[in-house]
Amino acid sequence: MNSFWKRVVIMTTLREQHKETFSSYALAKGYLLFIVMAKRYAKDFILITIGVFSATFGFKGFLLTNHFIDGGATGISLLVSALTGIPLYVLIIGVNLPFVILGYHTMGKVFAVKTALAISGLALCLAYISIPDVTSDNLLVAIFGGFFLGAGIGLSIRGGAVIDGTEVLAIYLSRKLGTTIGDIIILINIMIFSAAAYFLGIEVALYSMLTYLAASRTLDFVVEGIDEYIGVTIVSSRSDKMREMIIEKMGRGVTIYNGKGGYGKSGETKEVDIIYTVITRLELNKLNSEIEKIEPTAFVVMNSVKDTKGGMIKKRALKH
């Protein structure tokens, strides 16, 4: 690597001031960070691109000709397009532009840039890509239109962007008003579907609600993944045996916390090791059986985990 590229790599990734010479450590660190960032942005670009094409297929292959709508900013764009005849690609940009600006102040510059590019790409695809109607059956249009639209939105989210800015508004309002994001999204969608029922008719509004349900479930599936993870906390007097069981029989990693257990009327405390591990839902029954074998009275707390990164959870369990 010549001196020019050394400076580019290190100054880009480490933001160091201009120097004539660089240590081997600084060069290695800068190069490693450069590779990590390059892989990350390449992955995000691929996910957002696939998401844009999936949403385009859902729009043009199913929803547009039947005037079915979705929730959020996408639903607003579809509703206005159906009522006014304004091309959807114009409305996609116009409706989402305020959310991009809001996202810049709420989520940061990188998010706003990715979102602007994703929305622009979707608008271009809607304007120039021709896709024939896949089916004229209203039920199939609602379900599969929602499926491809939800998959597109979900893939874009996994790439660090959105092509529907409603959640950005919900995050902003939840911080200002102290309400939950879910409540704000529900309120927005109630207004959208009420308007659809008034302007487009009850039947179209009902099919549109079915589209929204299909899109939201697909979105959850894409964002959260195919596996459902369970976080398990175990408080046991035989913590060593529990740890060995999880590692050897379940094939999972563990985290051990030093804690104190309180018991009795006087609240006496005792030093105890608290074990935490993450498993898939398919392994839950096996884990419960193994815990019963070691200590049936062990205190076990389980909670849902949306996603994980690193560790042993992404690997296959060991076979015994």
Side-chain angles (χ1 to χ4, degrees), residues 140-192:
L140 294 178
V141 167
I143 293 176
F144 284 96
F147 170 80
F148 285 106
L149 181 57
I153 296 173
L155 289 169
S156 297
I157 290 175
R158 294 206 72 146
V162 294
I163 53 178
D164 186 305
T166 311
E167 289 199 10
V168 177
L169 176 63
I171 292 171
Y172 175 78
L173 292 178
S174 68
R175 295 176 180 177
K176 293 293 183 180
L177 304 177
T179 59
T180 65
I181 295 174
D183 290 341
I184 294 173
I185 291 176
I186 289 173
L187 180 61
I188 293 172
N189 288 329
I190 287 175
M191 293 188 291
I192 293 172

Side-chain angles (χ1 to χ4, degrees), residues 74-96:
T74 303
I76 296 172
S77 303
L78 287 165
L79 179 61
V80 175
S81 179
L83 293 175
T84 64
I86 299 174
L88 181 62
Y89 62 86
V90 175
L91 292 169
I92 285 290
I93 295 177
V95 172
N96 280 289

Side-chain angles (χ1 to χ4, degrees), residues 230-234 246-247 250-255 257 275-279 287 301 303 305 313:
I230 307 294
V232 183
T233 302
I234 305 171
I246 293 171
I247 294 173
M250 301 298 299
R252 298 301 181 195
V254 298
T255 299
Y257 302 97
I275 297 175
Y276 181 80
T277 188
V278 179
I279 60 174
L287 178 64
V301 179
N303 58 281
V305 176
I313 189 63

Side-chain angles (χ1 to χ4, degrees), residues 69-72 142 146 185-186 189 193 207-217:
I69 68 172
D70 185 28
I185 291 176
I186 289 173
N189 288 329
F193 290 122
Y207 276 118
S208 297
M209 293 176 67
L210 187 59
T211 301
Y212 170 73
L213 291 174
S216 62
R217 293 305 300 165

Side-chain angles (χ1 to χ4, degrees), residues 158 220-233 252 276-284 287 301-317:
R158 294 206 72 146
D220 291 340
F221 177 81
V222 172
V223 172
E224 297 176 10
I226 190 170
D227 289 320
E228 293 186 14
Y229 300 110
I230 307 294
V232 183
T233 302
R252 298 301 181 195
Y276 181 80
T277 188
V278 179
I279 60 174
T280 64
R281 62 175 181 172
L282 299 179
E283 298 169 309
L284 186 57
L287 178 64
V301 179
M302 303 179 186
N303 58 281
S304 298
V305 176
K306 293 296 184 183
D307 203 356
T308 64
K309 182 179 180 181
M312 298 180 66
I313 189 63
K314 295 293 186 180
K315 301 177 182 179
R316 292 179 179 271

